Amino acid sequence: FQFCLCNGMLQYLHIDEKYPHWLLNAAVTGYAGLAIFVTGFCINIHSDSILTNLRKPGEKGYKVPYGGMFSFVSAPNYLGEILEWWGWFLYNPNPGSFWFACFTSIFLGTRAFKTHSFYRAKFEDYPMERKALIPYLF
């Protein structure tokens, strides 16, 4: 919690200093970043909703998630979060947002690969066309 609070405060101070009237002063990259952030946020929320509702109350064990971006990748919630942070970097370019986007990409990219490997090992009928993190590529 403390890390997120400090990170958020530092990011806000950078925006407040750079864009006192942020909506009027944002450049094209700022609007693109905002669009990427919102897209990632929607992917993240929708994917988390699918995962949350995967099992009925009292059910145990693992299941293969379907629907939404799960049609393309094994960990769309991670993809969504990575998009959020890169969108944030484009909206608010500074060393802190850049390194946080890099860290998130590496950390969640690794987790996505491990999740993908787990699903493939656990379920014989796992969709072979699904990639780990990036649709059609990885």
Side-chain angles (χ1 to χ4, degrees):
F1 173 77
Q2 292 171 346
F3 171 79
C4 290
L5 180 65
C6 290
N7 185 36
M9 291 287 285
L10 291 172
Q11 299 292 339
Y12 169 76
L13 290 173
H14 189 270
I15 288 177
D16 193 46
E17 177 184 307
K18 187 173 180 183
Y19 302 117
H21 301 288
W22 64 272
L23 193 57
L24 301 174
N25 295 332
V28 173
T29 55
Y31 289 117
L34 191 58
I36 292 169
F37 178 89
V38 170
T39 300
F41 180 79
C42 291
I43 290 171
N44 195 358
I45 295 299
H46 186 251
S47 301
D48 284 346
S49 174
I50 290 172
L51 288 173
T52 301
N53 296 306
L54 198 55
R55 288 183 282 199
K56 294 181 176 112
E59 270 188 324
K60 295 185 179 189
Y62 293 99
K63 287 187 170 186
V64 177
Y66 290 97
M69 289 296 291
F70 282 105
S71 301
F72 305 100
V73 295
S74 296
N77 48 334
Y78 298 157
L79 171 62
E81 189 160 342
I82 289 169
L83 287 174
E84 286 177 60
W85 283 108
W86 281 108
W88 180 253
F89 166 68
L90 290 174
Y91 176 75
N92 181 26
N94 68 71
S97 61
F98 172 75
W99 289 114
F100 202 84
C102 288
F103 169 78
T104 301
S105 298
I106 293 166
F107 181 71
L108 292 182
T110 303
R111 288 184 64 187
F113 180 74
K114 288 183 180 186
T115 298
H116 184 67
S117 298
F118 170 81
Y119 278 137
R120 289 184 120 180
K122 178 98 174 142
F123 299 102
E124 291 178 14
D125 59 342
Y126 192 71
M128 295 304 287
E129 65 277 2
R130 275 193 202 176
K131 301 299 181 186
L133 184 66
I134 303 171
Y136 308 111
L137 297 177
F138 168 75

